[in-house]
Amino acid sequence: MPFYSQIAHHILAHHAAELPDLRGLTVLLPNRYAAQPLARALSVAAGVPLLLPTMTTLADALLKIPLPQAIQSDMQRVAQLYQVLRDQGWFGDADLWGVASELLALIDELTRYAVVLPQSEAEFAEQLTAAYQAKRGEAMQFEAKVVHELWFAMNHDTSWHTVKAELNWLKLWAAQLDTPLYVLRTSDATIAEKRFLDLCRENIDVTVFDLRDMARVHQEYAWLNSSLQSNAVDDLQTLARRLPVGDRLPNLRLFPAQGLEQEAEAADVQIRRWLLEGKTNIAVVVQDRLVARRVRALLERAQVRVLDESGWTFSTLAVSTPLKGWLDVLQNDFYYQDVLDLLKSPFLFADAPPSDRKHAAFLFEQLVRKHGVVAHIASFIKLAQRESPELEPALQRLKAAATQGRNQKLPLVDWLRGLHDSAFALGLGAGWARDAAGQQLLQLLKQWADDLKDNGTRLSFGEWRRWLSQQLDANTFRDMTIESPVRFTHLAATRWRQFDAVLLVGCDATHLPAPLNVGQWFNDGVRATLGLPVSAVQQHQVRDDLFGLLAMNDTVLATWQSTQNGDINLLSPYLEMLRTLNVLAGGSDLIDPQLATWLSHARVRTADATLPEPLTANPSIPADRLPPRISPSGYNSLVACPYQFYARYVLHLNDLEEVRETLDKRDYGTWVHKILQLFHAEIPLLLNASADIAEATLQRISREVFAQALAEDYLAHAWLLRWEKLIPTYLNWQREQETAGWRYAAAEQGMEFTVDEQLVLRGRIDRFDTDADGAICVLDYKTQSATSLKAKLALAGEDVQLACYALAKDASHAAFVSLDGEKVSSIAPDEAIPDLAALNLARLQTVFAQMRSGTPLPAHGRVCDYCEMKGLCRRGAS
């Protein structure tokens, strides 16, 4: 490219007498990346070793100049504005942190452009009315009032803030410079830069190298700049007639993708092809961050690392997940799902072996799923002390870290210090210290606390969380330790940069240029009246940056999604003008002719691959994998569907127990079982007790069992009332049972029966009774209707529960006891219980003998509607 060479020759020609020492010159660059190619061009043009000029960016130069007073951070100013907005109540329930940030940006812009508002709020309102060209109304008066009051309040503050400091920095540096200054740029200077250069010109020579002006000297670039500035097809046709016939843009190609995934695949394939060609400096200029995420994932899958100059906001990083998770835990009073998510973070308890945290997460999940405790750290600790002592230290550590409550109101600095202390108490600090992004996050927390140490605005937990969320969104992490030939960047960062190849992704009309007036307080008419830059300035800067990119680079591919959700999605108007001009000049439409073909060849092929045996095949089980124990419910699963049994009890793919956040019928059944066990232990024979005493005793025991649930959940009252209505009916049923000769013997008793030498049947019997002859009747309480229980027993051997219990106890009688509705009844099989037990035993022995010999376990398809394994066997899809 001729541009750096042209600059080098100009500098050398004007300072030949000073060679080889050019240290007396200063070159102001658009970015640090321009320093190396300019240095190289100077060395080549001189032909001798040089002492190079001072090459710097404006931001770097200003940081080296000391200021006479401290600078008030923008964070402090936003907090001050927030307090004013909250106290005034102007915006109701709006996001005040967002409003405060937007207003601060407006106030700074007014300061930067030296806008002076009228002294009177009424005069300012009239100015806005004229600018809006509308009748004066309440909304306009409100806007004038807010901006006017806040602008005057903030500008009467004598302390220096960022914009004041920037303006004073520029004055100081302009006064210090006493040697020639050279400036490289691609677009119009900002107001601050113009003032700085005007001040410099009063004392020294200033030479500006504007890429747009330099391109006009070269015919191959002059038309490019003209076409980007064209506003109509007629202009393009006129320009095309002045050009030689042929392809005028050999360095630019376009690719219209059919959706996001194809655009990302095209980018991935093109980048990898460039790498294979030996290109070592590839820029991916991102217009659409969603596409960029997918491209990055595809490249990393291909083991191509990416250097991201733009970075990612902290709110999207893994290091922030446990931070936000901890605040969720505090806000929701240790809600179990928040605690579980936190325990699964690898940053938590990073000062201890990872296995400890993983084991704690496993134990906690098992505990809450088993017992249904959904919140409150004290409840979790109490339960762990009783059921899982290994888990208690982790829970105690969480409790100890919760030093700040959600009902407090504290200054931001205190919230930040408390968060910092909690992070280290939880081991998050140790984890962050070992991670590049985590290290930056720790630095940010400290910096924020330092900046806000003098701010006393007291905030609620919710206000503090919204502030923190805004900060995590506003700050960006860039991992510059990565070395890669592929770098993601943005258009403004490409100024005066040359790459081996450039890929522009997301180049549709929505993203290039970006939407106008985003976050701006006034429309263009008002901004022009006040002397602020209008939206066209932003568009022109994007256009100039695009021109600079195309002028500086020989290989550029721009992609966009030509269709989105079935609708046409237009190409960027800038690129559309270039394509149209190229066609009018007799060239191609710039569409890449090969990339679509490469995509089909680059995709991973699976047609010739050897696929595993389909999951719908009937699995057989090696004898050593067969479970040595089976429960009545496992036997029921085997009868219902052998494949279901295989998935549940051989592969152990059982669904995890759902944590019941509200009381349901399962809780009700558990309480009823416990009540009846305690009641019959206290009054084993109702015929010996008065009806009043029996009912009072059962009522008392019921309330004792329900007591904890009543304290924690108001809905427990409804379940208790439901049971209390059934108490008289149950007592009548029990008396009938005793009148028939049966006597309560035991409840909740474990059972174990040897099926054969390799299999044991285990379970727990709700209750069994005996009679005077020693006969046994096993009973199983069910909070189901009599109708549904009869359906269970309609087909002999279909439900094996009663048969298994009878087998274990050698019982002659067995029945379900229906505790549903307003009636209690016994539901017994029609078949003789001893015969039913014997047949079920024989079948169980036979089936396990067959499985040991390799007989496969098919999916019957009879229980698919409610089987959790249907996604595994996929019988319905076969």
Side-chain angles (χ1 to χ4, degrees):
M1 290 296 171
F3 303 115
Y4 279 116
S5 177
Q6 184 178 341
I7 294 171
H9 281 92
H10 179 95
I11 292 175
L12 293 175
H14 285 74
H15 301 280
E18 301 163 39
L19 292 177
D21 189 353
L22 299 178
R23 288 176 297 176
L25 310 180
T26 300
V27 183
L28 192 58
L29 305 173
N31 53 63
R32 298 175 184 176
Y33 299 103
Q36 186 174 354
L38 178 58
R40 188 184 306 116
L42 285 167
S43 298
V44 170
V48 295
L50 293 176
L51 295 174
L52 294 170
T54 299
M55 291 185 277
T56 183
T57 65
L58 193 59
D60 288 344
L62 296 184
L63 290 176
K64 297 176 182 178
I65 301 174
L67 289 174
Q69 67 180 81
I71 301 173
Q72 186 184 30
S73 70
D74 287 346
M75 189 175 296
Q76 290 173 292
R77 300 168 70 213
V78 168
Q80 291 173 358
L81 273 175
Y82 179 88
Q83 183 174 3
V84 173
L85 295 177
R86 187 184 64 181
D87 293 345
Q88 293 292 340
W90 283 332
F91 294 93
D93 295 330
D95 174 19
L96 294 186
W97 287 115
V99 175
S101 296
E102 285 190 13
L103 280 168
L104 183 63
L106 174 64
I107 291 168
D108 283 348
E109 197 173 21
L110 291 169
T111 303
R112 184 176 287 113
Y113 284 85
V115 176
V116 179
L117 299 186
Q119 289 292 320
S120 165
E121 180 188 314
E123 291 180 49
F124 184 48
E126 289 296 336
Q127 190 177 13
L128 292 184
T129 301
Y132 277 122
Q133 296 181 350
K135 291 182 179 180
R136 186 170 179 176
E138 289 185 8
M140 200 175 300
Q141 287 180 298
F142 172 71
E143 186 176 39
K145 176 183 179 66
V146 170
V147 174
H148 193 270
E149 286 191 19
L150 294 178
W151 184 82
F152 270 95
M154 298 297 284
N155 275 277
H156 283 149
D157 188 349
T158 57
S159 61
W160 280 17
H161 53 74
T162 308
V163 177
K164 277 187 181 179
E166 177 187 315
L167 296 176
N168 283 280
W169 260 324
L170 291 173
K171 290 179 184 178
L172 289 171
W173 193 32
Q176 292 174 7
L177 281 173
D178 55 3
T179 56
L181 175 67
Y182 292 92
V183 182
L184 276 64
R185 69 181 183 211
T186 59
S187 58
D188 294 339
T190 65
I191 186 68
E193 291 170 347
K194 288 177 182 176
R195 289 175 185 158
F196 168 69
L197 294 180
D198 288 343
L199 289 172
C200 289
R201 288 188 179 99
E202 295 176 2
N203 302 312
I204 59 174
D205 292 330
V206 177
T207 305
V208 176
F209 295 104
D210 191 318
L211 190 59
R212 297 168 298 179
D213 297 333
M214 297 173 70
R216 294 191 183 102
V217 180
H218 302 276
Q219 184 179 1
E220 61 269 35
Y221 304 120
W223 73 268
L224 177 60
N225 192 20
S226 300
S227 64
L228 284 172
Q229 297 187 43
S230 299
N231 294 317
V233 175
D234 291 342
D235 295 339
L236 292 176
Q237 289 176 333
T238 301
L239 182 59
R241 285 193 291 269
R242 299 202 301 264
L243 294 173
V245 176
D247 203 337
R248 307 310 306 159
L249 283 165
N251 66 325
L252 174 64
R253 286 295 175 265
L254 307 174
F255 181 77
Q258 305 302 306
L260 185 149
E261 187 63 24
Q262 191 184 46
E263 183 177 12
E265 288 178 356
D268 168 51
V269 168
Q270 183 60 72
I271 290 168
R272 287 191 284 129
R273 283 190 62 84
W274 282 337
L275 290 172
L276 290 173
E277 292 170 6
K279 298 186 187 302
T280 58
N281 187 15
I282 299 170
V284 181
V285 182
V286 176
Q287 304 299 320
D288 186 339
R289 295 295 287 180
L290 193 61
V291 178
R293 281 181 178 275
R294 184 59 182 149
V295 174
R296 182 171 186 163
L298 293 174
L299 289 172
E300 289 179 348
R301 185 179 69 178
Q303 298 184 345
V304 177
R305 298 190 73 191
V306 172
L307 170 61
D308 194 337
E309 293 179 359
S310 300
W312 299 95
T313 61
F314 273 91
S315 60
T316 65
L317 298 180
V319 292
S320 298
T321 301
L323 177 65
K324 293 182 286 187
W326 172 240
L327 296 178
D328 287 337
V329 167
L330 295 177
Q331 182 168 326
N332 300 322
D333 199 10
F334 286 83
Y335 175 61
Y336 83 93
Q337 192 62 64
D338 296 332
V339 175
L340 184 58
D341 289 343
L342 183 63
L343 286 170
K344 290 180 179 179
S345 169
F347 290 98
L348 186 74
F349 303 155
D351 50 0
S355 57
D356 291 356
R357 176 191 53 78
K358 293 177 182 178
H359 188 54
F362 171 78
L363 292 176
F364 181 78
E365 185 167 17
Q366 297 299 314
L367 193 70
V368 296
R369 290 186 183 279
K370 180 179 179 181
H371 294 280
V373 179
V374 298
H376 312 304
I377 187 63
S379 300
F380 293 141
I381 291 174
K382 183 178 179 180
L383 189 60
Q385 289 171 340
R386 185 176 73 247
E387 300 283 340
S388 184
E390 290 179 273
L391 175 61
E392 186 187 354
L395 297 177
Q396 291 287 6
R397 191 169 182 183
L398 294 178
K399 181 182 178 182
T403 56
Q404 293 177 325
R406 56 181 178 172
N407 297 321
Q408 291 178 288
K409 280 198 169 186
L410 300 170
L412 276 170
V413 64
D414 289 343
W415 283 119
L416 283 164
R417 287 169 180 165
L419 180 62
H420 179 273
D421 294 343
S422 294
F424 277 89
L426 294 169
L428 293 175
W432 290 339
R434 295 195 290 265
D435 182 271
Q439 292 169 13
Q440 286 194 22
L441 181 57
L442 285 171
Q443 292 171 1
L444 283 173
L445 291 175
K446 183 179 183 303
Q447 177 188 324
W448 296 341
D450 290 342
D451 285 349
L452 294 165
K453 63 179 180 294
D454 297 326
N455 184 275
T457 305
R458 289 185 170 272
L459 304 175
S460 68
F461 186 86
E463 290 174 306
W464 141 246
R465 282 212 66 179
R466 288 189 290 274
W467 176 87
L468 182 63
S469 177
Q470 184 187 68
Q471 300 311 310
L472 293 175
D473 280 332
N475 286 271
T476 303
F477 168 70
R478 299 175 182 86
D479 189 355
M480 304 308 289
T481 62
I482 294 176
E483 294 185 5
S484 172
V486 181
R487 61 180 64 226
F488 282 23
T489 189
H490 56 280
L491 190 57
T494 64
R495 295 167 187 168
W496 282 94
R497 292 176 70 179
Q498 185 176 356
F499 303 95
D500 293 344
V502 176
L503 178 65
L504 282 153
V505 296
C507 296
D508 56 23
T510 303
H511 294 92
L512 184 65
L516 302 178
N517 289 328
V518 175
Q520 289 185 352
W521 193 263
F522 299 128
N523 66 17
D524 275 352
V526 178
R527 295 178 66 82
T529 300
L530 294 175
L532 298 176
V534 296
S535 57
V537 173
Q538 174 190 345
Q539 285 189 323
H540 292 163
Q541 190 169 62
V542 172
R543 178 200 64 199
D544 294 340
D545 288 338
L546 179 61
F547 163 73
L549 179 70
L550 294 173
M552 294 288 294
N553 292 278
D554 295 332
T555 303
V556 180
L557 172 68
T559 66
W560 88 102
Q561 298 168 49
S562 61
T563 60
Q564 282 185 335
N565 301 319
D567 297 326
I568 294 175
N569 188 38
L570 298 177
L571 178 63
S572 163
Y574 298 144
L575 296 175
E576 188 62 67
M577 283 189 287
L578 293 177
R579 179 166 68 169
T580 301
L581 178 64
N582 205 60
V583 171
L584 290 174
S588 70
D589 62 0
L590 301 180
I591 300 299
D592 192 300
Q594 296 178 302
L595 188 50
T597 304
W598 292 339
L599 280 181
S600 60
H601 292 296
R603 290 192 181 116
V604 177
R605 298 190 177 189
T606 58
D608 301 329
T610 302
L611 296 176
E613 185 180 0
L615 292 172
T616 48
N618 301 333
S620 57
I621 309 172
D624 60 350
R625 293 285 305 279
L626 277 170
R629 294 175 295 277
I630 190 170
S631 65
S633 60
Y635 190 2
N636 262 335
S637 176
L638 181 60
V639 172
C641 176
Y643 189 91
Q644 184 191 81
F645 173 83
Y646 165 73
R648 284 181 178 176
Y649 298 99
V650 178
L651 298 181
H652 301 290
L653 298 177
N654 313 52
D655 267 357
L656 288 173
E657 182 74 18
E658 289 293 328
V659 179
R660 300 193 295 277
E661 299 189 31
T662 57
L663 303 178
D664 60 18
K665 207 167 187 179
R666 286 173 292 179
D667 299 297
Y668 175 65
T670 301
W671 296 325
V672 169
H673 278 65
K674 182 66 173 176
I675 289 167
L676 294 178
Q677 179 187 6
L678 294 173
F679 172 70
H680 287 295
E682 189 167 331
I683 305 180
L685 186 63
L686 254 65
L687 293 178
N688 290 341
S690 71
D692 291 342
I693 292 176
E695 184 167 346
T697 301
L698 190 49
Q699 290 277 8
R700 172 179 55 79
I701 293 172
S702 298
R703 291 192 170 275
E704 289 173 355
V705 171
F706 270 84
Q708 184 175 351
L710 291 170
E712 296 177 354
D713 194 325
Y714 183 78
L715 292 177
H717 288 275
W719 291 107
L720 176 58
L721 287 173
R722 177 173 180 168
W723 166 243
E724 287 178 334
K725 285 183 179 180
L726 202 60
I727 285 177
T729 309
Y730 176 79
L731 292 174
N732 289 337
W733 172 85
Q734 176 61 26
R735 290 189 187 95
E736 292 173 2
Q737 182 82 346
E738 293 177 3
T739 302
W742 295 108
R743 298 291 182 268
Y744 172 84
E748 300 300 328
Q749 188 176 77
M751 59 160 247
E752 188 169 299
F753 181 84
T754 301
V755 177
D756 58 29
E757 293 180 354
Q758 301 178 60
L759 182 64
V760 173
L761 178 65
R762 284 183 177 177
R764 180 168 293 276
I765 300 172
D766 285 354
R767 166 181 167 180
F768 69 90
D769 293 358
T770 58
D771 66 5
D773 298 327
I776 295 175
C777 175
V778 292
L779 299 172
D780 193 70
Y781 298 127
K782 297 290 186 185
T783 55
Q784 301 171 30
S785 68
T787 302
S788 63
L789 294 174
K790 288 177 182 177
K792 277 179 176 282
L793 301 176
L795 187 61
E798 188 74 11
D799 189 283
V800 303
Q801 191 173 14
L802 291 178
C804 288
Y805 294 158
L807 184 66
K809 297 301 294 184
D810 193 21
S812 57
H813 296 74
F816 291 128
V817 180
S818 173
L819 303 169
D820 187 69
E822 298 180 356
K823 186 178 180 182
V824 177
S825 57
S826 301
I827 311 298
D830 294 333
E831 298 77 22
I833 293 299
D835 294 342
L836 193 62
L839 289 171
N840 272 282
L841 173 61
R843 179 175 61 181
L844 186 58
Q845 291 170 332
T846 301
V847 168
F848 262 77
Q850 291 173 338
M851 287 192 290
R852 291 184 192 113
S853 65
T855 301
L857 281 72
H860 280 165
R862 294 184 298 169
V863 294
C864 292
D865 289 344
Y866 54 85
C867 177
E868 77 278 13
M869 299 301 170
K870 62 184 176 183
L872 182 64
C873 77
R874 294 183 293 178
R875 179 179 174 84
S878 59

